Amino acid sequence: MSDTPASDPLAMLRSGRSLPDGTSMDDPIREQILDAASAQFESVGIARCTMNDITRRAGLARMTLYRRFANKQELVEATLLREAAWFLADLQREIDAHATVEDKLTEGFAFTVETLRDHDLLNRLLETEPEATVPHFTVQGAPLITAAAHFLAA
C-alpha cells in the first residue's frame, strides 16, 4: 500500500497529521504509555481519565509522558490510531487468506463485525461516552468510511 494519503487509510484517519518530529513508532516507552492509556480508557472511558491516571498505570513519571504526548488529546489520538492500525493489519491478514474477491469481501466483512462487536475499548467508549463516540461512526463518519473504501479498493 502506498504512503500517499489517498491510498493510506491511517493517513486519512489522521486527517493529515503525522507523528511529531523525532517520534519513533519503535519507542518502547511510548508503547508502554499507549498500553496504559488503552487499559485506562477501557476501565473508565476517555472523559474520566486523566494524564495522572495513565502515568500511574504505566509506572512512569509525568515528565516522561509529557515528553512524548503534549496533551491528553494527542495521547487519545495516538491510542486510537494504534488500535486502528492493529485492526487494519489483522483485517489485511484475514483478507489475504482468501483467494476470490467474493471470499475476501465476505470474510473481511464477517471479521470486521466480529472484531468490532468484541472490541473492549470500542464497547467501553460506546457505553460511557456514546455522545462522543457514535457520531464518528455515523454523521461524522466520512473519514472512517472513506478510509474503509480506499482500504477495500486496494
Side-chain angles (χ1 to χ4, degrees), residues 139-151:
V139 296
Q140 296 172 4
L144 185 61
I145 291 167
T146 302
H150 282 275
F151 181 82

Side-chain angles (χ1 to χ4, degrees), residues 33-86:
I33 293 167
L34 292 175
D35 289 344
S38 183
Q40 191 65 25
F41 298 157
E42 284 178 27
S43 178
V44 300
I46 292 171
R48 292 184 53 211
C49 178
T50 67
M51 296 293 263
N52 282 338
D53 294 334
I54 294 166
T55 56
R56 210 173 7 261
R57 187 179 280 264
L60 299 169
R62 280 177 47 107
M63 201 65 212
T64 303
L65 175 77
Y66 283 105
R67 280 189 191 115
R68 286 163 175 85
F69 302 98
N71 55 50
K72 183 177 172 183
Q73 184 60 37
E74 244 183 58
L75 178 56
V76 168
E77 287 177 9
T79 302
L80 297 178
L81 281 171
R82 185 177 74 159
E83 290 291 322
W86 285 348

Side-chain angles (χ1 to χ4, degrees), residues 2 10 18 32 38 44 60 73 80 95 97 101 119 138:
S2 161
L10 289 178
S18 60
Q32 183 178 348
S38 183
V44 300
L60 299 169
Q73 184 60 37
L80 297 178
I95 289 170
V101 171
H119 195 276
T138 57

Side-chain angles (χ1 to χ4, degrees), residues 11-146:
M12 296 182 114
L13 291 174
R14 277 188 214 102
S15 301
R17 280 175 265 170
S18 60
L19 290 169
D21 290 340
T23 301
S24 169
M25 294 298 284
D26 296 325
D27 177 359
I29 299 297
R30 183 178 194 279
E31 291 302 308
Q32 183 178 348
I33 293 167
L34 292 175
D35 289 344
S38 183
Q40 191 65 25
F41 298 157
E42 284 178 27
S43 178
V44 300
I46 292 171
R48 292 184 53 211
C49 178
T50 67
M51 296 293 263
N52 282 338
D53 294 334
I54 294 166
T55 56
R56 210 173 7 261
R57 187 179 280 264
L60 299 169
R62 280 177 47 107
M63 201 65 212
T64 303
L65 175 77
Y66 283 105
R67 280 189 191 115
R68 286 163 175 85
F69 302 98
N71 55 50
K72 183 177 172 183
Q73 184 60 37
E74 244 183 58
L75 178 56
V76 168
E77 287 177 9
T79 302
L80 297 178
L81 281 171
R82 185 177 74 159
E83 290 291 322
W86 285 348
F87 168 76
L88 290 174
D90 289 346
L91 177 58
Q92 187 65 60
R93 280 190 290 279
E94 178 64 30
I95 289 170
D96 290 345
H98 301 281
T100 68
V101 171
E102 292 82 11
D103 286 346
K104 289 176 185 290
L105 287 172
T106 302
E107 297 304 321
F109 180 78
F111 172 85
T112 298
V113 170
E114 187 174 309
T115 300
L116 295 181
R117 183 182 55 218
D118 296 335
H119 195 276
D120 293 334
L121 178 56
L122 177 60
N123 286 318
R124 177 53 123 175
L125 295 179
L126 288 170
E127 177 186 319
T128 61
E129 302 166 43
E131 67 287 341
T133 306
V134 171
H136 293 286
F137 293 97
T138 57
V139 296
Q140 296 172 4
L144 185 61
I145 291 167
T146 302

